Amino acid sequence: MVISSPLHQETVFSLEVIRSTASELVRQNRLDRQQPIYTLCQFIPARQWLAVERELEMHDYLLRDHIIDLMNCEAWDFQDRDGCA
């Protein structure tokens, strides 16, 4: 969720918004899971990037960490030998 504070005119990004943005960009093949998190800045307006950095820092993410570190578990189309998922 993106929240705008009327007092400070600052946009706040939740970690879930950042994660979903990263996941969507990976699904669209616009980013790779192994790229550093800071590559997200190409897709977020510069005036909002500081808010993203703050949110990531609050959750102990470094900009040099990989995007895959942000992503939730992904579903794989995998079946074992018995046909069980």
PDB file of all heavy atoms in Angstrom, residues 58-71:
ATOM      1  N   MET A  58      14.499  -0.402   7.190  1.00  0.00           N
ATOM      2  CA  MET A  58      13.769  -0.771   8.403  1.00  0.00           C
ATOM      3  C   MET A  58      13.620  -2.288   8.539  1.00  0.00           C
ATOM      4  O   MET A  58      13.493  -2.812   9.638  1.00  0.00           O
ATOM      5  CB  MET A  58      12.383  -0.133   8.412  1.00  0.00           C
ATOM      6  CG  MET A  58      12.396   1.326   8.760  1.00  0.00           C
ATOM      7  SD  MET A  58      10.760   2.118   8.682  1.00  0.00           S
ATOM      8  CE  MET A  58       9.641   0.852   9.184  1.00  0.00           C
ATOM      9  N   HIS A  59      13.638  -2.973   7.412  1.00  0.00           N
ATOM     10  CA  HIS A  59      13.478  -4.428   7.409  1.00  0.00           C
ATOM     11  C   HIS A  59      14.799  -5.152   7.139  1.00  0.00           C
ATOM     12  O   HIS A  59      14.806  -6.315   6.733  1.00  0.00           O
ATOM     13  CB  HIS A  59      12.416  -4.829   6.384  1.00  0.00           C
ATOM     14  CG  HIS A  59      11.050  -4.351   6.760  1.00  0.00           C
ATOM     15  ND1 HIS A  59      10.258  -4.990   7.680  1.00  0.00           N
ATOM     16  CD2 HIS A  59      10.356  -3.252   6.366  1.00  0.00           C
ATOM     17  CE1 HIS A  59       9.135  -4.329   7.828  1.00  0.00           C
ATOM     18  NE2 HIS A  59       9.167  -3.258   7.048  1.00  0.00           N
ATOM     19  N   ASP A  60      15.893  -4.437   7.350  1.00  0.00           N
ATOM     20  CA  ASP A  60      17.246  -5.006   7.259  1.00  0.00           C
ATOM     21  C   ASP A  60      17.645  -5.505   5.869  1.00  0.00           C
ATOM     22  O   ASP A  60      18.395  -6.469   5.742  1.00  0.00           O
ATOM     23  CB  ASP A  60      17.438  -6.130   8.289  1.00  0.00           C
ATOM     24  CG  ASP A  60      17.308  -5.615   9.705  1.00  0.00           C
ATOM     25  OD1 ASP A  60      17.778  -4.487   9.971  1.00  0.00           O
ATOM     26  OD2 ASP A  60      16.731  -6.326  10.549  1.00  0.00           O
ATOM     27  N   TYR A  61      17.131  -4.864   4.836  1.00  0.00           N
ATOM     28  CA  TYR A  61      17.572  -5.170   3.474  1.00  0.00           C
ATOM     29  C   TYR A  61      18.639  -4.167   3.080  1.00  0.00           C
ATOM     30  O   TYR A  61      18.560  -2.990   3.429  1.00  0.00           O
ATOM     31  CB  TYR A  61      16.414  -5.073   2.474  1.00  0.00           C
ATOM     32  CG  TYR A  61      15.444  -6.215   2.573  1.00  0.00           C
ATOM     33  CD1 TYR A  61      14.241  -6.064   3.247  1.00  0.00           C
ATOM     34  CD2 TYR A  61      15.725  -7.454   2.004  1.00  0.00           C
ATOM     35  CE1 TYR A  61      13.337  -7.108   3.347  1.00  0.00           C
ATOM     36  CE2 TYR A  61      14.834  -8.502   2.098  1.00  0.00           C
ATOM     37  CZ  TYR A  61      13.649  -8.322   2.769  1.00  0.00           C
ATOM     38  OH  TYR A  61      12.760  -9.360   2.865  1.00  0.00           O
ATOM     39  N   LEU A  62      19.623  -4.640   2.350  1.00  0.00           N
ATOM     40  CA  LEU A  62      20.659  -3.771   1.787  1.00  0.00           C
ATOM     41  C   LEU A  62      20.396  -3.610   0.302  1.00  0.00           C
ATOM     42  O   LEU A  62      19.893  -4.534  -0.348  1.00  0.00           O
ATOM     43  CB  LEU A  62      22.043  -4.386   2.003  1.00  0.00           C
ATOM     44  CG  LEU A  62      22.442  -4.642   3.454  1.00  0.00           C
ATOM     45  CD1 LEU A  62      23.769  -5.402   3.497  1.00  0.00           C
ATOM     46  CD2 LEU A  62      22.550  -3.340   4.220  1.00  0.00           C
ATOM     47  N   LEU A  63      20.733  -2.474  -0.247  1.00  0.00           N
ATOM     48  CA  LEU A  63      20.495  -2.237  -1.670  1.00  0.00           C
ATOM     49  C   LEU A  63      21.296  -3.178  -2.552  1.00  0.00           C
ATOM     50  O   LEU A  63      20.939  -3.419  -3.697  1.00  0.00           O
ATOM     51  CB  LEU A  63      20.794  -0.779  -2.026  1.00  0.00           C
ATOM     52  CG  LEU A  63      19.877   0.246  -1.370  1.00  0.00           C
ATOM     53  CD1 LEU A  63      20.292   1.656  -1.775  1.00  0.00           C
ATOM     54  CD2 LEU A  63      18.423  -0.009  -1.714  1.00  0.00           C
ATOM     55  N   ARG A  64      22.360  -3.747  -2.012  1.00  0.00           N
ATOM     56  CA  ARG A  64      23.168  -4.684  -2.795  1.00  0.00           C
ATOM     57  C   ARG A  64      22.646  -6.123  -2.706  1.00  0.00           C
ATOM     58  O   ARG A  64      23.097  -6.998  -3.436  1.00  0.00           O
ATOM     59  CB  ARG A  64      24.622  -4.626  -2.342  1.00  0.00           C
ATOM     60  CG  ARG A  64      24.825  -5.112  -0.934  1.00  0.00           C
ATOM     61  CD  ARG A  64      26.303  -5.115  -0.558  1.00  0.00           C
ATOM     62  NE  ARG A  64      26.464  -5.606   0.791  1.00  0.00           N
ATOM     63  CZ  ARG A  64      26.892  -4.889   1.814  1.00  0.00           C
ATOM     64  NH1 ARG A  64      27.218  -3.624   1.627  1.00  0.00           N
ATOM     65  NH2 ARG A  64      27.004  -5.421   2.997  1.00  0.00           N
ATOM     66  N   ASP A  65      21.676  -6.378  -1.807  1.00  0.00           N
ATOM     67  CA  ASP A  65      21.055  -7.703  -1.736  1.00  0.00           C
ATOM     68  C   ASP A  65      20.368  -7.995  -3.062  1.00  0.00           C
ATOM     69  O   ASP A  65      20.004  -7.092  -3.814  1.00  0.00           O
ATOM     70  CB  ASP A  65      20.018  -7.764  -0.614  1.00  0.00           C
ATOM     71  CG  ASP A  65      20.643  -7.700   0.773  1.00  0.00           C
ATOM     72  OD1 ASP A  65      21.861  -7.923   0.904  1.00  0.00           O
ATOM     73  OD2 ASP A  65      19.892  -7.395   1.724  1.00  0.00           O
ATOM     74  N   HIS A  66      20.137  -9.262  -3.330  1.00  0.00           N
ATOM     75  CA  HIS A  66      19.481  -9.656  -4.576  1.00  0.00           C
ATOM     76  C   HIS A  66      17.969  -9.489  -4.477  1.00  0.00           C
ATOM     77  O   HIS A  66      17.389  -9.622  -3.397  1.00  0.00           O
ATOM     78  CB  HIS A  66      19.806 -11.109  -4.918  1.00  0.00           C
ATOM     79  CG  HIS A  66      21.252 -11.324  -5.209  1.00  0.00           C
ATOM     80  ND1 HIS A  66      21.939 -12.411  -4.764  1.00  0.00           N
ATOM     81  CD2 HIS A  66      22.143 -10.579  -5.894  1.00  0.00           C
ATOM     82  CE1 HIS A  66      23.194 -12.334  -5.154  1.00  0.00           C
ATOM     83  NE2 HIS A  66      23.333 -11.217  -5.841  1.00  0.00           N
ATOM     84  N   ILE A  67      17.350  -9.241  -5.597  1.00  0.00           N
ATOM     85  CA  ILE A  67      15.900  -9.078  -5.654  1.00  0.00           C
ATOM     86  C   ILE A  67      15.199 -10.332  -5.149  1.00  0.00           C
ATOM     87  O   ILE A  67      14.161 -10.244  -4.497  1.00  0.00           O
ATOM     88  CB  ILE A  67      15.455  -8.706  -7.083  1.00  0.00           C
ATOM     89  CG1 ILE A  67      15.894  -7.269  -7.377  1.00  0.00           C
ATOM     90  CG2 ILE A  67      13.958  -8.868  -7.268  1.00  0.00           C
ATOM     91  CD1 ILE A  67      15.659  -6.798  -8.775  1.00  0.00           C
ATOM     92  N   ILE A  68      15.775 -11.490  -5.384  1.00  0.00           N
ATOM     93  CA  ILE A  68      15.151 -12.736  -4.929  1.00  0.00           C
ATOM     94  C   ILE A  68      14.975 -12.748  -3.411  1.00  0.00           C
ATOM     95  O   ILE A  68      14.063 -13.380  -2.890  1.00  0.00           O
ATOM     96  CB  ILE A  68      15.933 -13.971  -5.418  1.00  0.00           C
ATOM     97  CG1 ILE A  68      15.070 -15.219  -5.275  1.00  0.00           C
ATOM     98  CG2 ILE A  68      17.252 -14.104  -4.687  1.00  0.00           C
ATOM     99  CD1 ILE A  68      15.597 -16.423  -6.001  1.00  0.00           C
ATOM    100  N   ASP A  69      15.822 -12.016  -2.696  1.00  0.00           N
ATOM    101  CA  ASP A  69      15.689 -11.930  -1.236  1.00  0.00           C
ATOM    102  C   ASP A  69      14.388 -11.233  -0.829  1.00  0.00           C
ATOM    103  O   ASP A  69      13.884 -11.468   0.267  1.00  0.00           O
ATOM    104  CB  ASP A  69      16.880 -11.195  -0.624  1.00  0.00           C
ATOM    105  CG  ASP A  69      18.192 -11.923  -0.833  1.00  0.00           C
ATOM    106  OD1 ASP A  69      18.166 -13.162  -1.012  1.00  0.00           O
ATOM    107  OD2 ASP A  69      19.245 -11.264  -0.816  1.00  0.00           O
ATOM    108  N   LEU A  70      13.878 -10.387  -1.687  1.00  0.00           N
ATOM    109  CA  LEU A  70      12.621  -9.678  -1.424  1.00  0.00           C
ATOM    110  C   LEU A  70      11.394 -10.521  -1.746  1.00  0.00           C
ATOM    111  O   LEU A  70      10.338 -10.329  -1.157  1.00  0.00           O
ATOM    112  CB  LEU A  70      12.520  -8.425  -2.301  1.00  0.00           C
ATOM    113  CG  LEU A  70      13.218  -7.170  -1.876  1.00  0.00           C
ATOM    114  CD1 LEU A  70      13.035  -6.105  -2.948  1.00  0.00           C
ATOM    115  CD2 LEU A  70      12.692  -6.681  -0.553  1.00  0.00           C
ATOM    116  N   MET A  71      11.553 -11.407  -2.698  1.00  0.00           N
ATOM    117  CA  MET A  71      10.406 -12.127  -3.229  1.00  0.00           C
ATOM    118  C   MET A  71       9.920 -13.203  -2.273  1.00  0.00           C
ATOM    119  O   MET A  71      10.710 -13.879  -1.623  1.00  0.00           O
ATOM    120  CB  MET A  71      10.750 -12.725  -4.590  1.00  0.00           C
ATOM    121  CG  MET A  71      11.071 -11.647  -5.619  1.00  0.00           C
ATOM    122  SD  MET A  71      11.615 -12.294  -7.181  1.00  0.00           S
ATOM    123  CE  MET A  71      10.149 -13.125  -7.724  1.00  0.00           C
TER     124      MET A  71
END
